């Protein structure tokens, strides 16, 4: 009797979702697949052997990638993080200066709206001003994780313009701006350059 046997890798779906596919270059549906080697007499997987780990499979291009690919943000996540981050930065800056100043609040509304939150208004500012700074900081940090160096610079400059709307920067506002820069992942020296440059351009 002829006995034909071999080893077969079998994939099993253990999760699904949306990710940024590095091969397609955009957001795509994925399946998270667990791989296991099986002993296969007569080409039929019969005896499970060792586990081979997990892989992420794009449903569009069928490419397989390591699970670490799921750490990259999707376009939808980035689109949500940016206005939330600027809204939080505006609150941190306003509360360090003159939170009821009309010019500063108007500048904050204009800036956050341009960043993608059209419903942002005075009521939203008041709601954000009572949020704990640690939670506001998390939103800024989340936005900073998605930004290139040049975009972080512009983000900080916009926060500086909000702080300048009620007059020259005071010590509290400077500290708040440096805190925002640190959350964005910028060095203190780099942040100081952006702050000073933006101040000079506003005169």
């Amino acid at each position: 009797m002829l006995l034909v046997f071999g080893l077969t890798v079998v994939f099993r779906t253990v999760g699904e979702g949306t990710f940024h596919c590095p091969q397609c270059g955009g957001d795509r549906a994925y399946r998270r697949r667990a791989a296991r080697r099986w002993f296969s007499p007569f080409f039929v997987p019969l005896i499970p052997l060792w586990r081979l780990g997990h892989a992420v499979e794009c449903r569009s291009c069928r490419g397989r990638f390591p699970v670490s690919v799921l750490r990259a943000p999707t376009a939808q996540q980035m689109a949500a993080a940016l206005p939330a981050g600027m809204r939080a930065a505006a609150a941190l800056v306003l509360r360090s200066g003159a939170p009821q100043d009309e010019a500063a609040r108007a500048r904050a509304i204009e800036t956050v709206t341009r960043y993608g939150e059209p419903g942002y208004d005075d009521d939203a500012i008041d709601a954000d001003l009572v949020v704990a700074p640690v939670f506001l900081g998390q939103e800024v940090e989340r936005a900073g994780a998605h930004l290139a160096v040049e975009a972080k610079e512009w983000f900080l400059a916009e926060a500086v313009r909000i702080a300048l709307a009620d007059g020259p920067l005071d010590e509290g506002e400077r500290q708040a701006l440096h805190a925002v820069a640190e959350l964005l992942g910028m060095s203190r020296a780099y942040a100081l350059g952006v702050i000073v440059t933006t101040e000079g351009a506003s005169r």
Side-chain angles (χ1 to χ4, degrees), residues 177-190:
L177 290 167
H178 277 288
V180 168
E182 185 176 354
L183 290 165
L184 291 172
M186 300 171 68
S187 70
R188 190 167 184 84
Y190 187 23

Side-chain angles (χ1 to χ4, degrees), residues 144-191:
H146 303 321
L147 296 175
V149 174
E150 297 80 3
K152 291 180 182 181
E153 180 179 326
W154 184 257
F155 187 105
L156 179 59
E158 290 284 30
V160 175
R161 294 182 187 104
I162 293 172
L164 286 168
D166 64 358
L169 299 181
D170 60 28
E171 187 56 31
E173 289 172 326
R174 291 184 188 280
Q175 289 180 6
L177 290 167
H178 277 288
V180 168
E182 185 176 354
L183 290 165
L184 291 172
M186 300 171 68
S187 70
R188 190 167 184 84
Y190 187 23

Side-chain angles (χ1 to χ4, degrees), residues 49-90:
L49 300 175
W50 54 91
R51 291 182 173 86
L52 300 176
H54 289 201
V56 174
E57 180 182 277
C58 176
R59 284 186 171 274
S60 296
C61 68
R62 302 300 178 188
R64 286 201 180 111
F65 311 96
V67 175
S68 60
V69 76
L70 296 179
R71 295 180 195 147
T74 64
Q76 185 176 10
Q77 288 170 331
M78 289 179 66
L82 208 50
M86 179 51 74
R87 178 172 174 166

Side-chain angles (χ1 to χ4, degrees), residues 129-140:
L129 288 174
V130 298
V131 175
V134 63
F135 295 118
L136 296 174
Q138 288 171 357
E139 293 290 356
V140 176

Side-chain angles (χ1 to χ4, degrees), residues 91-116:
L92 289 169
V93 169
L94 286 172
R95 74 195 304 167
S96 69
Q100 300 306 320
D101 183 85
E102 290 186 8
R105 292 168 74 96
R107 182 75 196 203
I109 291 170
E110 177 193 344
T111 302
V112 174
T113 299
R114 278 193 283 105
Y115 264 75

